[in-house]
Amino acid sequence: MKRSEPLSAGGDTGTGADTGDLRATNAPAPPPRSSLRQLAAASVGNAAEWYDWYAYSFLAVYFADQIFPKGSGNSLVPLLSTFAVFAVGFFMRPVGGLLMGAVADRRGRRAALTVTILLMGAGSLLLALTPTYAATGVLAPVVLVVARLIQGLSVGGEFAASTTFLVESAGPGRRGLFSSFQYVSTTIGQLLASGIAALLAHLLTEGQMGDWGWRVPFLIGAVISLAGFWIRQGAEETHDVPGKEAARPALFEAVRRHPRESLLICGITAGGTLAYYTWTTYLPTYAQMNAGFDKGDALAVGTISLAFFAALQPLGGLLSDRIGRKPLLIGFAVGFAALAVPLLHAVGSSFASLLLVQCAGMVLLTGYTSIAAAVNAEVFPARVRAAGIGFPYSLTVALFGGTAPYLGTWFKDSGHPGAFPWYVAGLCLVSACVYVILPETAKRPLDRSVQPAGS
């Protein structure tokens, strides 16, 4: 799948190394591509991907009883089981990051993006058609698990491919700004999921939501995925695919040849992913369990705060292009280490209190989310960039992000709800230490060589 002419992003040809043995290319810059078209191709498809992924967590409180039988006298058993499946989906993400990242490095970013969105649409459709436990017994949770495994594979590959695609599409001095659209589009998808769930919760009765209403967003997600697939067909490739089969990167080449960079991705991601999933996904459920917050109102607060969060992302990206990545990362991590406990303890039963807590956390969180794609892409050379990001990133997200709702619910069920905020603060402190030693990469040219180091 060799192209007749190399394509690299926005004129930023790269004349030096980023970290370690990153190599530069002397290839001439291609004609500039349409930045808006590239952003649209990445963002629309990414929003469709994450709409499907997040709809699950917002609707879990409605379909848990339909799929899992209640334990003896314990009403939290179905919800715990549903969040356990949520976590299982995350553990397919490293596989997706590795496999789809390899496709992106060997066959091009656009090829990987096409596969991931088709997989996500299939998983969403399967979720919508999942039978109930009353109708089919154990087959119901089996179908649910299979659907989440498909979606986990898709999401793991999506981040790897779309991260590299966005950053490689950026012109000089704009990688932070382009990077921010990773979470702009992610948040739009999440916002759609939250908004549609909130709308249905207000239009339908509790019984209707539990019987059939929860299936509607998943059907919508399957249609949105098809639209995203169509839009991505117009994207331009950003990666100069190696021409000879023997020259293409091996499956584990990124981990084998760049172990330090792989560990850096893990450290960069750990605190950020836990804070992100706590604040953007789990907080409505946390408020329901710990403060008796109304389900519909909790979803409404989540929708408003997500819109605020999306608006912040480009500002964070632009700021990082001016002052560097490290100040924003350190500000995020130190802020959460100091404020996660008081903020989560401040969650009350009033609409205003939850909205204030969620928005305050999202201001801090922007220091990580707005530039995570740029930071990750700047760590690895182009040859193994997608797989190099995808595997360690997705593994870390699975370990710390995907388990956040389950652990928060488990702490509550075990009688220690106050332990979860300390867990969030502690892990953010660990990431703060990584950010301090992380090299500043904002002003360094982006490597674009597809040849292995030393060749």
Side-chain angles (χ1 to χ4, degrees):
M1 188 174 174
K2 180 176 174 63
R3 299 188 310 280
S4 59
E5 171 178 10
L7 291 171
S8 70
D12 184 4
T13 56
T15 58
D18 280 14
T19 62
D21 61 352
L22 306 191
R23 294 166 54 84
T25 177
N26 294 320
R33 61 174 56 86
S34 168
S35 296
L36 288 178
R37 184 168 67 180
Q38 293 295 94
L39 283 175
S43 299
V44 174
N46 199 42
E49 285 265 357
W50 291 97
Y51 166 88
D52 290 335
W53 181 255
Y54 283 119
Y56 182 98
S57 61
F58 288 126
L59 296 164
V61 293
Y62 294 107
F63 67 76
D65 291 346
Q66 297 287 314
I67 309 300
F68 297 97
K70 290 183 179 180
S72 177
N74 193 339
S75 62
L76 283 178
V77 167
L79 188 59
L80 275 169
S81 301
T82 307
F83 280 141
V85 176
F86 182 78
V88 166
F90 273 85
F91 281 93
M92 278 300 288
R93 289 179 62 166
V95 179
L98 183 63
L99 295 180
M100 292 298 103
V103 171
D105 290 331
R106 296 177 181 183
R107 302 291 182 180
R109 317 308 190 202
R110 191 173 65 174
L113 290 172
T114 298
V115 174
T116 58
I117 199 161
L118 289 177
L119 284 173
M120 181 57 74
S124 187
L125 182 61
L126 189 58
L127 278 170
L129 301 177
T130 300
T132 64
Y133 188 89
T136 62
V138 73
L139 180 63
V142 169
V143 171
L144 189 73
V145 169
V146 170
R148 286 305 283 180
L149 291 177
I150 293 173
Q151 290 191 320
L153 184 71
S154 172
V155 168
E158 172 69 20
F159 186 88
S162 63
T163 292
T164 54
F165 180 84
L166 273 172
V167 178
E168 290 171 353
S169 294
R174 285 292 180 265
R175 295 200 301 263
L177 174 61
F178 271 57
S179 167
S180 70
F181 280 87
Q182 176 73 30
Y183 276 92
V184 169
S185 54
T186 296
T187 306
I188 288 173
Q190 191 173 0
L191 189 60
L192 284 172
S194 174
I196 290 174
L199 179 63
L200 287 171
H202 281 87
L203 292 178
L204 303 177
T205 66
E206 187 90 6
Q208 289 173 324
M209 279 297 293
D211 289 340
W212 57 268
W214 63 269
R215 299 180 186 273
V216 175
F218 294 121
L219 289 172
I220 294 172
V223 174
I224 294 175
S225 294
L226 286 177
F229 167 77
W230 177 75
I231 291 171
R232 282 186 168 173
Q233 299 311 294
E236 293 183 46
E237 184 56 71
T238 64
H239 182 55
D240 188 17
V241 179
K244 297 179 180 179
E245 191 69 31
R248 290 177 178 170
L251 188 61
F252 289 97
E253 181 176 326
V255 175
R256 190 180 71 252
R257 300 189 66 163
H258 303 279
R260 177 180 177 274
E261 287 83 354
S262 298
L263 289 175
L264 274 177
I265 295 293
C266 294
I268 290 167
T269 305
T273 189
L274 176 59
Y276 176 77
Y277 279 98
T278 298
W279 244 257
T280 66
T281 303
Y282 177 60
L283 199 57
T285 304
Y286 180 89
Q288 292 168 37
M289 293 190 306
N290 292 280
F293 212 87
D294 178 75
K295 290 179 182 179
D297 287 344
L299 287 171
V301 169
T303 302
I304 295 169
S305 59
L306 282 170
F308 172 69
F309 182 61
L312 291 176
Q313 300 310 297
L315 301 178
L318 283 169
L319 184 61
S320 79
D321 284 330
R322 279 182 165 270
I323 68 173
R325 319 294 189 217
K326 290 183 65 171
L328 273 71
L329 291 171
I330 293 172
F332 145 72
V334 172
F336 259 100
L339 297 176
V341 173
L343 282 174
L344 287 175
H345 284 169
V347 172
S349 58
S350 73
F351 191 95
S353 70
L354 180 58
L355 181 61
L356 181 62
V357 167
Q358 197 152 13
C359 287
M362 286 176 170
V363 171
L364 293 173
L365 189 57
T366 297
Y368 166 77
T369 54
S370 64
I371 57 174
V375 173
N376 289 339
E378 290 161 354
V379 165
F380 274 96
R383 174 177 168 80
V384 292
R385 182 170 289 138
I389 293 170
F391 182 65
Y393 171 85
S394 296
L395 181 62
T396 307
V397 171
L399 290 172
F400 299 109
T403 57
Y406 181 83
L407 283 176
T409 307
W410 181 81
F411 278 128
K412 170 66 175 178
D413 189 44
S414 62
H416 304 286
F420 183 71
W422 286 103
Y423 169 61
V424 175
L427 197 59
C428 286
L429 186 59
V430 172
S431 280
C433 297
V434 176
Y435 301 150
V436 169
I437 65 171
L438 188 69
E440 180 59 71
T441 56
K443 304 300 181 183
R444 296 182 182 182
L446 189 69
D447 174 81
R448 299 190 184 280
S449 174
V450 297
Q451 297 304 318
S455 65

